[in-house]
Amino acid sequence: MGFDFGAFVGGMSRQISENIESAKEFNREKDFRLEMLAEEEATKERLARSSERRAQRKQDEQNLALLKSMNISDAKAGWILKGGNTAVSNYVDYAQAALARGINPDEMLESSMFVEDHNDPRNEAAMMATIRDYDTVEPFTVRQDIMTSVLGEVEEPKEPKQYTSLEAGHAGTYSLLQKAKLDKNQDEVTRLEGVLGEWKTKIEQDIAMRREDGEDDAGTNDQYFNDDSYGRIEKDQLMFALNDYDFPNLDGKITAKLEGRVGISHIAKLVAADNMEKIAMVGKDKKTQQEIIDSRMLGASLRLRENAERRLRSYGRSIVSTDGNTDSKTKTFGYLKNEKTESGDLIPVNFKTGLRMANNGQLKEGDVIVVRVRENGISVDRIKVYTGLENRDTPTYRIGEFTYTNFFHDAGEHDF
């Protein structure tokens, strides 16, 4: 059998070709792995930079809120932020010292002697010069008596609130706002409402950034009030509501039954619960439009509402069962609005009539009326307590061509 040189050459060519393709495939796989490693490294760097930017933005937001809480305007606070954390710390010290002496830090920064360099010592001199006289021969030298009296130890400066998180900032500011309201300090109330709005904006922005970074449940379990704030807020809101209904300031406690106005006290609790629910709504997710909620505060408002509704039901039924004479004081208010037959039987009114009376101002808070309604084709008499508040479950009724606001709390069927 002879040697087939052509076949040998052909086989060798195929082997060489296969070897070349294998080498190319290996190189392609190698290049692909290198590209993947490079992409992975680049991704890590991007995530790290993103995290750093987010951390810096959060720090800037907290610094901005801190500066603004000391009456420094947006423009001036923005200028200070450009100097970095060191500049912020320095100007917080200046503002702290000024506030301790009743001086507005924002006005101090109006001086034309300030220069662009945030850490220039002449700015410190300019800060002092806006408060006291300074040496005109050496305008940028701080006089010792000024340094001693303003930034010195003559009067111990009050430490400004510095918060470690947005949640703590919101909680602390809200506590200060509540105190200002109780002290009836309207200027401070107005200022703190603005500061609180800033904290809410920062919380919204922070949650948006966290969700962009993949934290889908960001803000879900965050607590936006201090632990001791929850009970105090409930007590304060109840007291505010009771005062609105002309009850004396009893520090949240009330003996309304002695005044014949127990029903109205329960209505005040509904108002307090509504206000607490609004307080629990800290902000809104701009992307999903979902409310940012403090679940603990919301839970407290729901418990207060359930308690008030349960007591209103009992109140309405007791008024009907006693013909409005639960006690001598209650009797004088004439809460029961139904007429009676000669034999003493109560005459229910048509529900439309009751709605019309409520919408036309013929009823007062705490009034009770039995109305006749149709349920599943059957006439049923139900007890209604007029609250003056729009019913949350059924806010309106459309009857014929008219729409009536439902100001009643349903106290159940008149089955006795």
Side-chain angles (χ1 to χ4, degrees):
M1 178 171 144
F3 175 70
D4 190 341
F5 182 76
F8 169 74
V9 172
M12 187 171 64
S13 297
R14 283 194 300 274
Q15 185 62 46
I16 292 173
S17 178
E18 289 174 359
N19 290 343
I20 292 173
E21 287 301 320
S22 296
K24 288 181 178 179
E25 181 65 23
F26 174 78
N27 288 333
R28 282 195 294 268
E29 290 180 358
K30 179 180 178 182
D31 291 342
F32 177 74
R33 286 194 297 272
L34 290 174
E35 289 175 2
M36 289 298 294
L37 288 172
E39 181 62 28
E40 182 179 355
E41 193 64 28
T43 299
K44 289 180 180 178
E45 290 179 4
R46 284 197 300 272
L47 290 174
R49 288 195 299 270
S50 175
S51 179
E52 290 174 0
R53 286 194 301 270
R54 186 164 71 87
Q56 186 58 52
R57 283 198 302 267
K58 188 169 183 178
Q59 182 64 56
D60 288 346
E61 289 163 2
Q62 293 176 351
N63 286 340
L64 181 62
L66 176 61
L67 290 167
K68 293 184 69 174
S69 72
M70 289 184 281
N71 282 337
I72 296 176
S73 68
D74 288 344
K76 296 185 183 72
W79 173 74
I80 294 172
L81 281 180
K82 291 179 181 178
N85 293 335
T86 300
V88 170
S89 178
N90 288 339
Y91 283 90
V92 164
D93 289 342
Y94 297 151
Q96 171 188 344
L99 287 172
R101 297 184 62 83
I103 300 168
N104 187 345
D106 194 66
E107 293 179 358
M108 296 173 66
L109 291 167
E110 292 290 346
S111 173
S112 61
M113 293 190 297
F114 279 91
V115 297
E116 284 298 315
D117 184 356
H118 298 78
N119 299 313
D120 194 305
R122 289 176 295 179
N123 284 348
E124 182 177 337
M127 181 81 74
M128 299 304 100
T130 60
I131 308 172
R132 297 284 185 86
D133 295 333
Y134 59 94
D135 189 340
T136 55
V137 177
E138 295 181 283
F140 299 117
T141 301
V142 181
R143 281 174 28 190
Q144 187 62 39
D145 63 322
I146 294 176
M147 284 293 291
T148 302
S149 62
V150 178
L151 287 179
E153 299 297 327
V154 173
E155 181 177 338
E156 186 67 24
K158 183 180 180 181
E159 288 288 339
K161 288 286 185 182
Q162 299 190 42
Y163 302 107
T164 58
S165 68
L166 294 174
E167 294 79 7
H170 177 275
T173 302
Y174 193 87
S175 295
L176 293 174
L177 176 60
Q178 288 296 98
K179 182 178 184 304
K181 287 181 177 180
L182 292 172
D183 293 341
K184 300 187 185 305
N185 186 343
Q186 190 53 50
D187 289 341
E188 187 68 357
V189 167
T190 300
R191 184 184 75 82
L192 289 170
E193 284 177 341
V195 175
L196 188 67
E198 290 290 330
W199 282 116
K200 289 186 175 184
T201 298
K202 303 310 177 188
I203 288 171
E204 292 174 345
Q205 294 171 345
D206 177 65
I207 289 177
M209 286 190 294
R210 287 160 61 189
R211 290 182 177 175
E212 285 179 2
D213 289 347
E215 191 178 340
D216 295 333
D217 61 347
T220 303
N221 298 313
D222 292 344
Q223 185 170 303
Y224 300 101
F225 299 91
N226 298 327
D227 285 339
D228 62 344
S229 293
Y230 293 94
R232 186 171 65 251
I233 289 172
E234 180 173 345
K235 184 178 73 172
D236 290 346
Q237 291 305 316
L238 181 57
M239 185 176 65
F240 294 149
L242 291 172
N243 289 343
D244 286 342
Y245 284 95
D246 297 324
F247 286 98
N249 186 344
L250 298 175
D251 195 28
K253 297 179 181 179
I254 184 169
T255 55
K257 187 174 181 179
L258 297 178
E259 302 179 26
R261 304 176 68 212
V262 65
I264 302 174
S265 75
H266 301 323
I267 294 171
K269 292 175 185 176
L270 289 179
V271 173
D274 285 344
N275 291 338
M276 288 178 62
E277 183 173 325
K278 292 175 183 176
I279 292 169
M281 307 299 177
V282 177
K284 180 174 287 189
D285 187 320
K286 302 301 184 184
K287 186 174 182 180
T288 65
Q289 295 302 305
Q290 291 181 337
E291 296 284 354
I292 300 170
I293 299 172
D294 185 292
S295 57
R296 183 174 169 185
M297 182 67 71
L298 182 62
S301 73
L302 293 176
R303 286 191 296 274
L304 182 59
R305 168 170 289 281
E306 289 171 358
N307 177 272
E309 290 178 341
R310 184 173 60 255
R311 291 178 178 270
L312 272 176
R313 174 184 171 88
S314 297
Y315 163 79
R317 298 179 75 81
S318 69
I319 290 292
V320 174
S321 66
T322 61
D323 293 333
N325 301 330
T326 53
D327 57 63
S328 59
K329 286 287 186 180
T330 301
K331 180 180 178 180
T332 62
F333 285 93
Y335 289 123
L336 185 61
K337 294 305 177 183
N338 293 88
E339 296 181 357
K340 292 186 177 181
T341 64
E342 292 183 359
S343 60
D345 294 330
L346 185 144
I347 304 174
V349 303
N350 182 276
F351 187 35
K352 180 179 179 180
T353 301
L355 287 170
R356 189 186 301 116
M357 292 171 65
N359 281 256
N360 291 345
Q362 295 175 255
L363 300 177
K364 64 182 180 297
E365 284 88 351
D367 280 349
V368 178
I369 188 168
V370 177
V371 300
R372 181 155 291 172
V373 298
R374 299 285 292 179
E375 294 181 356
N376 300 319
I378 301 173
S379 293
V380 177
D381 294 340
R382 301 196 68 84
I383 302 170
K384 301 288 185 178
V385 181
Y386 178 79
T387 65
L389 307 173
E390 186 178 277
N391 186 287
R392 289 161 61 98
D393 298 327
T394 311
T396 60
Y397 280 100
R398 178 77 178 180
I399 301 178
E401 59 182 6
F402 297 102
T403 299
Y404 298 96
T405 300
N406 181 18
F407 292 114
F408 291 119
H409 173 73
D410 189 274
E413 186 177 343
H414 182 214
D415 51 4
F416 49 86

